[in-house]
Amino acid sequence: MTQTRLNPITVEVIGNTLASIADEILVGLIKSAYSTNIKERQDCSSVVIDAQGRVVSISDMSLPMHLSSFMFTGEALLKRFPRETIQDGDVFIVNDPYSGGPSHLADVTFVAPVFHGGELVAFVGNTGHWPDVGGKAPGQAALGDATEIYQEGLRIPLVRLYRAGELQRDILDLVLLNVRDPDNRDGDIRAHVGSVKLGVLRMQDLVTQHGSEVFATALDELLDVAELKARHGILSLAEGEYEALDYLDDDMDSDEPIPIRVKVTIRHKPEPSVTVDYAGTGGPARFGINMPYHGTVTVVFWVMRSILDPDVQPNAGFERAVKVLAPDNCLVNCKAPSPLGARYEVASQIPDSLFSALSGIISKGIEAGGHGTHGMGFSGQPPHSFIYYETVGGGGGARPNKDGINGVHITSNLPIEAMEQEFPMMADRLEYIPDSGGPGRFRGGVGIRKDWRMLVDSFVGVHSNRHRIPGPGLLDGKDGTLTRIVRNPDSSSPETIPREATFVPVSPDDVVSIFAGGGGGYGDPLERLPEHVLQDVVNGLVTVEGAQRDYGVVVDPEQGQLDIKATERLRRSISANRKA
């Protein structure tokens, strides 16, 4: 690391201004986008990149997974376009994971250069999850049943959408011709471009205020600060090697689960460092549940940031202290043309394995295994054309000092009213599933049941994990519960929908229902305070039967009160049976 050359207060002011600019870019995108997925669910992110292509600041309003949308984009852009050919007013677009883009095709990324006095001083960018980018089925780019990336949608390498401020109409026409609902995608593109242009103006004001030399030095030092904070956090962890093993349910056409094996090595000398190694991980998967390397690095950074220092920016400086290794062409480091639309299934389980590996040495910033991820897509053909996609919350893993989060999402929840206003479907039910959280001293978050009633002939596309292997509990906590997706679950002939599927036909008045699993528990369930179990019963999160079976707590169903003596007897009996 370099010696600090600026007043630390100046560096901090510039750093906070960059974060504010990134936030403003993101808010501009959200407020002007056409896609429900962006304007309501806020499945989007924004970034500031320095003139060398290094990520400096990502908005804290962003999705952690979207760091992968920018991690290698700056470097790839500068490699593809010589610096002298980049002009003020350019806007670049990319979505191909194998060309410096995000981690799946559905996340479309826009980047614009920032010039000051004719000099390239930085880049700004945003990314948003589009509901469709072509492919063999509506919303295919986020689904998992493709067998090669060519089936998942339009692959856009880094190309100029605007050249020196002038729209390249041929590029726009090519994109819009290959997506469903092109009018809305055209609106999204204008929102993406408008918000990065706003970011350019804000950045130019910042450079004018401080001067280009001070600005460039501050960006370097912000990377140094991130490295310093990361290495300082590593010193709080015990040196050693820590391992864990989790499994992705299967590869769709095989009943064999795919192992996710991780070894975390912590060293204090010659300088503090963490190495995360995925040697022994299976795959690549035949179907679209693979993860590219930069997606894996993103999740590792996200997890290690929560452990080392939640306030540190997970930027290129952080990367100096945390290294990620993965065998070529495996589940967490796939190579073209491997499909990767549903890569978030792997992303949702990487934290579980990292937390499991480190659970013996830390009790801060970790949690038990979660419910996974569950993407639900709905679409219709003329005369009722529409495309709608959302992810459904489930139970988060319990933590060392509190319960898991109930019905936790990776994005903002989509209000039912917004869905029903735009699309020919109704939400009949959205409720917690009692007894779905893994028992523990701290209970896993409970899962969610959500029912959609179709109003027109439609198709359903899904991607979902944790259908066979639940989120694991930690330190004697019990595992969470499994997920299932069912058509007409309350009828006389319910039908299970596979966890990876497209073009599942549904008719008017059919009900599509997901029972999203709960998270794993933390600690021995017999150590949970009986009063907390009673509160869960009163709140409908645990049944009277579940309280007795899982926690050894007896609740009088008539009075809604604890039976203290009966609870003590039952817990003594359970403990004695364990020892026997």
Side-chain angles (χ1 to χ4, degrees), residues 105-161:
L105 297 177
D107 292 335
V108 185
T109 299
F110 293 75
V111 177
V114 179
F115 282 84
H116 180 265
E119 176 190 5
L120 176 65
V121 294
F123 297 91
V124 293
N126 63 37
T127 194
H129 182 136
W130 289 6
D132 184 81
V133 290
K136 70 181 182 66
Q140 182 68 61
L143 303 177
D145 71 338
T147 56
E148 55 182 0
I149 194 172
Y150 306 110
Q151 299 171 1
E152 293 185 325
L154 177 65
R155 296 176 66 186
I156 310 171
L158 273 159
V159 293
R160 282 187 180 91
L161 182 62

Short mmCIF file of all heavy atoms in Angstrom, two decimals, residues 105-161:
data_model
loop_
_atom_site.label_atom_id
_atom_site.label_comp_id
_atom_site.label_asym_id
_atom_site.label_seq_id
_atom_site.Cartn_x
_atom_site.Cartn_y
_atom_site.Cartn_z
N LEU A 105 -27.13 -13.32 -18.24
CA LEU A 105 -27.53 -12.43 -19.33
C LEU A 105 -28.65 -11.48 -18.93
O LEU A 105 -28.82 -10.43 -19.57
CB LEU A 105 -27.97 -13.25 -20.54
CG LEU A 105 -26.92 -14.13 -21.21
CD1 LEU A 105 -27.53 -14.93 -22.36
CD2 LEU A 105 -25.75 -13.30 -21.72
N ALA A 106 -29.44 -11.82 -17.93
CA ALA A 106 -30.57 -10.98 -17.55
C ALA A 106 -30.14 -9.64 -16.98
O ALA A 106 -30.89 -8.66 -17.04
CB ALA A 106 -31.47 -11.71 -16.56
N ASP A 107 -28.95 -9.58 -16.38
CA ASP A 107 -28.44 -8.33 -15.84
C ASP A 107 -27.73 -7.57 -16.96
O ASP A 107 -26.66 -7.98 -17.41
CB ASP A 107 -27.48 -8.58 -14.68
CG ASP A 107 -28.17 -9.15 -13.47
OD1 ASP A 107 -29.38 -8.92 -13.31
OD2 ASP A 107 -27.50 -9.85 -12.68
N VAL A 108 -28.33 -6.47 -17.40
CA VAL A 108 -27.76 -5.70 -18.51
C VAL A 108 -27.06 -4.47 -17.93
O VAL A 108 -27.66 -3.70 -17.17
CB VAL A 108 -28.85 -5.30 -19.51
CG1 VAL A 108 -28.23 -4.61 -20.72
CG2 VAL A 108 -29.64 -6.54 -19.96
N THR A 109 -25.80 -4.31 -18.29
CA THR A 109 -24.94 -3.30 -17.67
C THR A 109 -24.64 -2.17 -18.66
O THR A 109 -24.38 -2.42 -19.84
CB THR A 109 -23.63 -3.95 -17.20
OG1 THR A 109 -23.93 -4.95 -16.23
CG2 THR A 109 -22.70 -2.92 -16.57
N PHE A 110 -24.65 -0.94 -18.15
CA PHE A 110 -24.34 0.26 -18.93
C PHE A 110 -23.20 1.00 -18.23
O PHE A 110 -23.23 1.18 -17.01
CB PHE A 110 -25.56 1.17 -19.04
CG PHE A 110 -26.69 0.59 -19.85
CD1 PHE A 110 -27.49 -0.43 -19.33
CD2 PHE A 110 -26.96 1.05 -21.13
CE1 PHE A 110 -28.52 -0.98 -20.07
CE2 PHE A 110 -27.98 0.51 -21.88
CZ PHE A 110 -28.77 -0.51 -21.36
N VAL A 111 -22.22 1.45 -19.02
CA VAL A 111 -21.05 2.15 -18.48
C VAL A 111 -20.77 3.37 -19.34
O VAL A 111 -20.81 3.30 -20.57
CB VAL A 111 -19.81 1.23 -18.46
CG1 VAL A 111 -18.59 1.99 -17.95
CG2 VAL A 111 -20.06 0.00 -17.59
N ALA A 112 -20.48 4.50 -18.68
CA ALA A 112 -20.14 5.74 -19.39
C ALA A 112 -18.84 6.30 -18.84
O ALA A 112 -18.62 6.29 -17.63
CB ALA A 112 -21.26 6.76 -19.24
N PRO A 113 -17.97 6.81 -19.70
CA PRO A 113 -16.73 7.43 -19.24
C PRO A 113 -16.99 8.84 -18.70
O PRO A 113 -17.93 9.52 -19.10
CB PRO A 113 -15.87 7.48 -20.49
CG PRO A 113 -16.86 7.61 -21.61
CD PRO A 113 -18.07 6.82 -21.18
N VAL A 114 -16.11 9.25 -17.80
CA VAL A 114 -16.16 10.60 -17.24
C VAL A 114 -14.89 11.33 -17.67
O VAL A 114 -13.78 10.88 -17.40
CB VAL A 114 -16.26 10.57 -15.70
CG1 VAL A 114 -16.28 12.00 -15.15
CG2 VAL A 114 -17.48 9.79 -15.25
N PHE A 115 -15.07 12.46 -18.35
CA PHE A 115 -13.93 13.26 -18.81
C PHE A 115 -13.90 14.59 -18.06
O PHE A 115 -14.94 15.14 -17.70
CB PHE A 115 -14.02 13.53 -20.32
CG PHE A 115 -13.61 12.36 -21.17
CD1 PHE A 115 -14.50 11.34 -21.46
CD2 PHE A 115 -12.32 12.29 -21.66
CE1 PHE A 115 -14.12 10.27 -22.24
CE2 PHE A 115 -11.91 11.22 -22.44
CZ PHE A 115 -12.82 10.21 -22.74
N HIS A 116 -12.68 15.08 -17.86
CA HIS A 116 -12.50 16.40 -17.27
C HIS A 116 -11.30 17.05 -17.96
O HIS A 116 -10.20 16.50 -17.93
CB HIS A 116 -12.25 16.30 -15.76
CG HIS A 116 -12.05 17.64 -15.10
ND1 HIS A 116 -10.79 18.17 -14.86
CD2 HIS A 116 -12.94 18.55 -14.64
CE1 HIS A 116 -10.92 19.35 -14.28
NE2 HIS A 116 -12.21 19.61 -14.12
N GLY A 117 -11.55 18.17 -18.59
CA GLY A 117 -10.47 18.84 -19.31
C GLY A 117 -9.89 17.97 -20.42
O GLY A 117 -8.68 18.03 -20.68
N GLY A 118 -10.73 17.17 -21.04
CA GLY A 118 -10.28 16.29 -22.11
C GLY A 118 -9.59 15.03 -21.65
O GLY A 118 -9.16 14.22 -22.47
N GLU A 119 -9.49 14.82 -20.33
CA GLU A 119 -8.80 13.66 -19.77
C GLU A 119 -9.82 12.68 -19.20
O GLU A 119 -10.77 13.06 -18.50
CB GLU A 119 -7.85 14.11 -18.66
CG GLU A 119 -7.16 12.97 -17.94
CD GLU A 119 -6.42 13.44 -16.69
OE1 GLU A 119 -6.54 14.65 -16.35
OE2 GLU A 119 -5.75 12.62 -16.05
N LEU A 120 -9.65 11.38 -19.50
CA LEU A 120 -10.49 10.33 -18.91
C LEU A 120 -10.12 10.17 -17.44
O LEU A 120 -8.97 9.83 -17.11
CB LEU A 120 -10.28 9.01 -19.66
CG LEU A 120 -11.02 7.79 -19.10
CD1 LEU A 120 -12.54 7.97 -19.22
CD2 LEU A 120 -10.59 6.52 -19.83
N VAL A 121 -11.08 10.41 -16.54
CA VAL A 121 -10.78 10.37 -15.11
C VAL A 121 -11.51 9.25 -14.37
O VAL A 121 -11.12 8.88 -13.25
CB VAL A 121 -11.11 11.72 -14.44
CG1 VAL A 121 -10.18 12.81 -14.97
CG2 VAL A 121 -12.57 12.10 -14.63
N ALA A 122 -12.57 8.67 -14.97
CA ALA A 122 -13.32 7.63 -14.27
C ALA A 122 -14.40 7.09 -15.21
O ALA A 122 -14.55 7.53 -16.36
CB ALA A 122 -13.97 8.19 -13.00
N PHE A 123 -15.15 6.12 -14.70
CA PHE A 123 -16.35 5.61 -15.36
C PHE A 123 -17.47 5.53 -14.32
O PHE A 123 -17.20 5.38 -13.11
CB PHE A 123 -16.14 4.21 -15.93
CG PHE A 123 -15.10 4.10 -17.00
CD1 PHE A 123 -13.77 3.83 -16.67
CD2 PHE A 123 -15.43 4.25 -18.34
CE1 PHE A 123 -12.80 3.71 -17.65
CE2 PHE A 123 -14.46 4.14 -19.33
CZ PHE A 123 -13.15 3.88 -18.98
N VAL A 124 -18.71 5.62 -14.77
CA VAL A 124 -19.85 5.32 -13.92
C VAL A 124 -20.70 4.27 -14.63
O VAL A 124 -20.67 4.16 -15.87
CB VAL A 124 -20.71 6.57 -13.63
CG1 VAL A 124 -19.95 7.56 -12.78
CG2 VAL A 124 -21.19 7.22 -14.92
N GLY A 125 -21.44 3.49 -13.86
CA GLY A 125 -22.23 2.45 -14.48
C GLY A 125 -23.43 2.04 -13.66
O GLY A 125 -23.54 2.36 -12.48
N ASN A 126 -24.35 1.35 -14.32
CA ASN A 126 -25.46 0.74 -13.60
C ASN A 126 -25.81 -0.57 -14.28
O ASN A 126 -25.37 -0.86 -15.40
CB ASN A 126 -26.68 1.67 -13.52
CG ASN A 126 -27.26 2.01 -14.89
OD1 ASN A 126 -27.30 1.20 -15.80
ND2 ASN A 126 -27.75 3.25 -15.03
N THR A 127 -26.55 -1.39 -13.59
CA THR A 127 -27.04 -2.65 -14.15
C THR A 127 -28.45 -2.88 -13.65
O THR A 127 -28.82 -2.42 -12.56
CB THR A 127 -26.12 -3.83 -13.75
OG1 THR A 127 -26.42 -4.97 -14.56
CG2 THR A 127 -26.32 -4.23 -12.29
N GLY A 128 -29.26 -3.55 -14.45
CA GLY A 128 -30.62 -3.87 -14.06
C GLY A 128 -31.02 -5.22 -14.62
O GLY A 128 -30.60 -5.60 -15.72
N HIS A 129 -31.83 -5.93 -13.86
CA HIS A 129 -32.31 -7.24 -14.29
C HIS A 129 -33.53 -7.03 -15.17
O HIS A 129 -34.59 -6.65 -14.70
CB HIS A 129 -32.67 -8.10 -13.07
CG HIS A 129 -33.14 -9.47 -13.41
ND1 HIS A 129 -32.70 -10.59 -12.72
CD2 HIS A 129 -34.02 -9.94 -14.34
CE1 HIS A 129 -33.29 -11.66 -13.22
NE2 HIS A 129 -34.10 -11.28 -14.20
N TRP A 130 -33.37 -7.29 -16.48
CA TRP A 130 -34.49 -7.20 -17.41
C TRP A 130 -35.34 -8.48 -17.32
O TRP A 130 -34.79 -9.58 -17.15
CB TRP A 130 -33.99 -7.04 -18.83
CG TRP A 130 -33.36 -5.72 -19.14
CD1 TRP A 130 -33.10 -4.70 -18.27
CD2 TRP A 130 -32.91 -5.28 -20.43
NE1 TRP A 130 -32.51 -3.65 -18.93
CE2 TRP A 130 -32.38 -3.98 -20.25
CE3 TRP A 130 -32.89 -5.85 -21.68
CZ2 TRP A 130 -31.84 -3.25 -21.31
CZ3 TRP A 130 -32.36 -5.13 -22.74
CH2 TRP A 130 -31.84 -3.84 -22.57
N PRO A 131 -36.65 -8.38 -17.47
CA PRO A 131 -37.47 -9.59 -17.43
C PRO A 131 -37.26 -10.51 -18.61
O PRO A 131 -37.59 -11.70 -18.53
CB PRO A 131 -38.90 -9.05 -17.41
CG PRO A 131 -38.80 -7.67 -17.96
CD PRO A 131 -37.46 -7.16 -17.57
N ASP A 132 -36.67 -10.00 -19.69
CA ASP A 132 -36.44 -10.85 -20.85
C ASP A 132 -35.34 -10.26 -21.72
O ASP A 132 -35.29 -9.05 -21.93
CB ASP A 132 -37.72 -10.99 -21.69
CG ASP A 132 -37.55 -11.95 -22.85
OD1 ASP A 132 -37.64 -13.16 -22.62
OD2 ASP A 132 -37.31 -11.49 -23.98
N VAL A 133 -34.44 -11.14 -22.19
CA VAL A 133 -33.44 -10.75 -23.18
C VAL A 133 -33.43 -11.77 -24.32
O VAL A 133 -32.38 -12.10 -24.88
CB VAL A 133 -32.02 -10.61 -22.57
CG1 VAL A 133 -31.95 -9.40 -21.65
CG2 VAL A 133 -31.59 -11.87 -21.84
N GLY A 134 -34.61 -12.27 -24.65
CA GLY A 134 -34.70 -13.27 -25.70
C GLY A 134 -34.52 -14.66 -25.13
O GLY A 134 -34.87 -14.95 -23.99
N GLY A 135 -33.99 -15.58 -25.93
CA GLY A 135 -33.81 -16.95 -25.49
C GLY A 135 -34.99 -17.82 -25.85
O GLY A 135 -35.98 -17.38 -26.43
N LYS A 136 -34.90 -19.09 -25.47
CA LYS A 136 -35.87 -20.07 -25.93
C LYS A 136 -37.21 -19.99 -25.21
O LYS A 136 -38.18 -20.61 -25.64
CB LYS A 136 -35.31 -21.48 -25.78
CG LYS A 136 -35.15 -22.00 -24.36
CD LYS A 136 -34.56 -23.40 -24.36
CE LYS A 136 -34.45 -23.96 -22.96
NZ LYS A 136 -35.74 -24.19 -22.31
N ALA A 137 -37.28 -19.23 -24.12
CA ALA A 137 -38.54 -19.07 -23.39
C ALA A 137 -38.55 -17.68 -22.75
O ALA A 137 -37.49 -17.08 -22.52
CB ALA A 137 -38.68 -20.14 -22.31
N PRO A 138 -39.73 -17.14 -22.47
CA PRO A 138 -39.79 -15.84 -21.79
C PRO A 138 -39.03 -15.87 -20.47
O PRO A 138 -39.20 -16.78 -19.66
CB PRO A 138 -41.29 -15.65 -21.56
CG PRO A 138 -41.96 -16.46 -22.63
CD PRO A 138 -41.08 -17.65 -22.81
N GLY A 139 -38.18 -14.88 -20.28
CA GLY A 139 -37.41 -14.81 -19.03
C GLY A 139 -36.33 -15.87 -18.90
O GLY A 139 -35.81 -16.09 -17.81
N GLN A 140 -35.97 -16.52 -20.01
CA GLN A 140 -35.05 -17.66 -19.96
C GLN A 140 -33.71 -17.30 -19.33
O GLN A 140 -33.07 -18.14 -18.69
CB GLN A 140 -34.81 -18.19 -21.37
CG GLN A 140 -33.89 -19.41 -21.45
CD GLN A 140 -34.52 -20.64 -20.85
OE1 GLN A 140 -35.56 -21.09 -21.31
NE2 GLN A 140 -33.91 -21.18 -19.80
N ALA A 141 -33.27 -16.07 -19.48
CA ALA A 141 -31.94 -15.69 -18.99
C ALA A 141 -31.81 -15.80 -17.48
O ALA A 141 -30.69 -15.77 -16.96
CB ALA A 141 -31.60 -14.27 -19.42
N ALA A 142 -32.93 -15.92 -16.75
CA ALA A 142 -32.86 -16.10 -15.30
C ALA A 142 -33.30 -17.50 -14.89
O ALA A 142 -33.43 -17.78 -13.69
CB ALA A 142 -33.73 -15.07 -14.59
N LEU A 143 -33.55 -18.38 -15.85
CA LEU A 143 -34.04 -19.72 -15.55
C LEU A 143 -32.93 -20.75 -15.77
O LEU A 143 -31.87 -20.43 -16.30
CB LEU A 143 -35.27 -20.04 -16.39
CG LEU A 143 -36.43 -19.04 -16.23
CD1 LEU A 143 -37.58 -19.39 -17.15
CD2 LEU A 143 -36.90 -18.97 -14.78
N GLY A 144 -33.18 -21.99 -15.39
CA GLY A 144 -32.08 -22.94 -15.33
C GLY A 144 -32.17 -24.16 -16.21
O GLY A 144 -31.35 -25.06 -16.06
N ASP A 145 -33.12 -24.23 -17.14
CA ASP A 145 -33.25 -25.47 -17.89
C ASP A 145 -32.60 -25.42 -19.27
O ASP A 145 -32.81 -26.31 -20.10
CB ASP A 145 -34.73 -25.89 -18.02
CG ASP A 145 -35.52 -24.97 -18.95
OD1 ASP A 145 -35.09 -23.83 -19.18
OD2 ASP A 145 -36.57 -25.42 -19.45
N ALA A 146 -31.80 -24.41 -19.55
CA ALA A 146 -31.04 -24.36 -20.80
C ALA A 146 -29.81 -25.26 -20.69
O ALA A 146 -29.30 -25.50 -19.58
CB ALA A 146 -30.61 -22.94 -21.12
N THR A 147 -29.32 -25.76 -21.81
CA THR A 147 -28.13 -26.60 -21.81
C THR A 147 -26.92 -25.91 -22.42
O THR A 147 -25.83 -26.48 -22.44
CB THR A 147 -28.40 -27.91 -22.58
OG1 THR A 147 -28.84 -27.60 -23.91
CG2 THR A 147 -29.47 -28.74 -21.87
N GLU A 148 -27.08 -24.70 -22.92
CA GLU A 148 -25.96 -23.89 -23.37
C GLU A 148 -26.40 -22.43 -23.35
O GLU A 148 -27.59 -22.12 -23.43
CB GLU A 148 -25.49 -24.30 -24.76
CG GLU A 148 -26.56 -24.28 -25.83
CD GLU A 148 -26.06 -24.74 -27.17
OE1 GLU A 148 -24.87 -25.08 -27.28
OE2 GLU A 148 -26.85 -24.74 -28.13
N ILE A 149 -25.45 -21.54 -23.22
CA ILE A 149 -25.78 -20.12 -23.06
C ILE A 149 -26.50 -19.56 -24.26
O ILE A 149 -27.28 -18.61 -24.14
CB ILE A 149 -24.51 -19.30 -22.74
CG1 ILE A 149 -24.90 -17.89 -22.23
CG2 ILE A 149 -23.60 -19.23 -23.95
CD1 ILE A 149 -23.75 -17.08 -21.70
N TYR A 150 -26.32 -20.16 -25.44
CA TYR A 150 -26.99 -19.65 -26.64
C TYR A 150 -28.51 -19.75 -26.53
O TYR A 150 -29.22 -19.02 -27.20
CB TYR A 150 -26.50 -20.42 -27.87
CG TYR A 150 -25.00 -20.42 -28.01
CD1 TYR A 150 -24.27 -21.58 -27.81
CD2 TYR A 150 -24.31 -19.25 -28.33
CE1 TYR A 150 -22.89 -21.59 -27.93
CE2 TYR A 150 -22.93 -19.25 -28.44
CZ TYR A 150 -22.23 -20.42 -28.23
OH TYR A 150 -20.86 -20.42 -28.34
N GLN A 151 -29.00 -20.65 -25.70
CA GLN A 151 -30.43 -20.80 -25.50
C GLN A 151 -30.99 -19.76 -24.52
O GLN A 151 -32.20 -19.60 -24.41
CB GLN A 151 -30.75 -22.19 -24.97
CG GLN A 151 -30.35 -23.32 -25.89
CD GLN A 151 -30.49 -24.68 -25.22
OE1 GLN A 151 -30.90 -24.78 -24.06
NE2 GLN A 151 -30.14 -25.74 -25.93
N GLU A 152 -30.11 -19.07 -23.80
CA GLU A 152 -30.55 -18.23 -22.69
C GLU A 152 -30.88 -16.80 -23.10
O GLU A 152 -31.47 -16.06 -22.30
CB GLU A 152 -29.48 -18.22 -21.59
CG GLU A 152 -29.34 -19.58 -20.94
CD GLU A 152 -28.38 -19.58 -19.77
OE1 GLU A 152 -27.37 -18.84 -19.82
OE2 GLU A 152 -28.63 -20.31 -18.79
N GLY A 153 -30.51 -16.41 -24.29
CA GLY A 153 -30.86 -15.06 -24.71
C GLY A 153 -29.78 -14.41 -25.55
O GLY A 153 -28.76 -15.02 -25.90
N LEU A 154 -30.02 -13.14 -25.85
CA LEU A 154 -29.09 -12.35 -26.65
C LEU A 154 -27.82 -12.07 -25.84
O LEU A 154 -27.89 -11.55 -24.73
CB LEU A 154 -29.75 -11.03 -27.05
CG LEU A 154 -28.91 -10.03 -27.82
CD1 LEU A 154 -28.53 -10.59 -29.19
CD2 LEU A 154 -29.65 -8.70 -27.96
N ARG A 155 -26.68 -12.40 -26.41
CA ARG A 155 -25.39 -12.12 -25.77
C ARG A 155 -24.83 -10.82 -26.35
O ARG A 155 -24.57 -10.72 -27.55
CB ARG A 155 -24.41 -13.27 -26.01
CG ARG A 155 -24.83 -14.58 -25.39
CD ARG A 155 -23.86 -15.69 -25.77
NE ARG A 155 -22.54 -15.46 -25.18
CZ ARG A 155 -21.47 -16.23 -25.44
NH1 ARG A 155 -21.58 -17.22 -26.33
NH2 ARG A 155 -20.32 -15.98 -24.86
N ILE A 156 -24.66 -9.83 -25.49
CA ILE A 156 -24.16 -8.54 -25.93
C ILE A 156 -22.75 -8.36 -25.39
O ILE A 156 -22.56 -8.25 -24.17
CB ILE A 156 -25.05 -7.39 -25.42
CG1 ILE A 156 -26.53 -7.64 -25.74
CG2 ILE A 156 -24.59 -6.05 -25.99
CD1 ILE A 156 -27.48 -6.66 -25.08
N PRO A 157 -21.75 -8.35 -26.25
CA PRO A 157 -20.40 -8.01 -25.77
C PRO A 157 -20.33 -6.51 -25.49
O PRO A 157 -21.30 -5.78 -25.73
CB PRO A 157 -19.51 -8.42 -26.94
CG PRO A 157 -20.38 -8.18 -28.13
CD PRO A 157 -21.79 -8.53 -27.70
N LEU A 158 -19.21 -6.05 -25.01
CA LEU A 158 -19.05 -4.61 -24.80
C LEU A 158 -19.09 -3.90 -26.14
O LEU A 158 -18.21 -4.08 -27.00
CB LEU A 158 -17.73 -4.32 -24.10
CG LEU A 158 -17.78 -4.37 -22.57
CD1 LEU A 158 -16.40 -4.57 -21.99
CD2 LEU A 158 -18.43 -3.11 -22.01
N VAL A 159 -20.15 -3.11 -26.35
CA VAL A 159 -20.29 -2.32 -27.57
C VAL A 159 -20.77 -0.92 -27.19
O VAL A 159 -21.36 -0.71 -26.12
CB VAL A 159 -21.29 -2.95 -28.57
CG1 VAL A 159 -20.76 -4.27 -29.11
CG2 VAL A 159 -22.66 -3.15 -27.92
N ARG A 160 -20.53 0.04 -28.08
CA ARG A 160 -21.02 1.39 -27.86
C ARG A 160 -22.49 1.48 -28.26
O ARG A 160 -22.85 1.22 -29.40
CB ARG A 160 -20.24 2.41 -28.69
CG ARG A 160 -18.87 2.78 -28.14
CD ARG A 160 -18.30 3.92 -28.98
NE ARG A 160 -16.99 4.34 -28.52
CZ ARG A 160 -15.85 3.84 -28.97
NH1 ARG A 160 -15.87 2.88 -29.88
NH2 ARG A 160 -14.69 4.29 -28.52
N LEU A 161 -23.31 1.89 -27.32
CA LEU A 161 -24.69 2.22 -27.66
C LEU A 161 -24.79 3.70 -28.05
O LEU A 161 -25.61 4.08 -28.89
CB LEU A 161 -25.61 1.93 -26.47
CG LEU A 161 -27.08 2.18 -26.68
CD1 LEU A 161 -27.64 1.29 -27.80
CD2 LEU A 161 -27.87 1.96 -25.39
#
